[in-house]
Amino acid sequence: MVFRPTRRDIDPVTDEPTAYALWDRHEWQAHGECRLWCGRDDDEVTWIGPVRSSGMHAALFACRACLYERDQRVLEATMRQDAVDLPMSSRSMRP
């Protein structure tokens, strides 16, 4: 998995990360285990929330690469849903 900043995280003029870049939105711990996908240990991770599975609860931590991948999947799902919600023709916009 390769971590690449998204367009919204890069200033189009300077090509530098914006103040709201993905990695700046979280408090990162220097050492931890990614519990999202890759399972790497002793990596920089951030808490992304609680998770419940089969009646059990745990804190969910993710590394930068896995957090990026999750955000891209959420973005793609949101874009697909937005496309479905858009009117397909001017007739569908009439009352």
Side-chain angles (χ1 to χ4, degrees):
M1 197 175 327
V2 176
F3 172 73
R4 294 185 187 98
T6 62
R7 285 185 226 160
R8 70 181 187 276
D9 293 325
I10 301 296
D11 185 301
V13 175
T14 65
D15 285 332
E16 295 295 322
T18 65
Y20 302 101
L22 169 67
W23 47 88
D24 291 334
R25 296 180 196 146
H26 300 276
E27 292 183 28
W28 295 92
Q29 298 178 10
H31 304 283
E33 176 187 359
C34 178
R35 297 179 183 167
L36 190 54
W37 286 304
C38 72
R40 285 184 290 194
D41 197 9
D42 198 29
D43 200 2
E44 189 176 32
V45 295
T46 188
W47 180 80
I48 60 172
V51 63
R52 185 174 73 184
S53 179
S54 301
M56 299 176 287
H57 297 81
L60 186 58
F61 290 86
C63 68
R64 291 176 191 265
C66 288
L67 181 60
Y68 168 78
E69 181 65 27
R70 190 214 49 183
D71 282 356
Q72 294 308 299
R73 290 179 186 193
V74 170
L75 178 62
E76 289 170 6
T78 301
M79 290 169 60
R80 279 195 305 272
Q81 186 59 46
D82 287 349
V84 168
D85 292 342
L86 289 174
M88 297 308 285
S89 70
S90 58
R91 282 189 296 164
S92 64
M93 292 175 53
R94 294 181 189 157

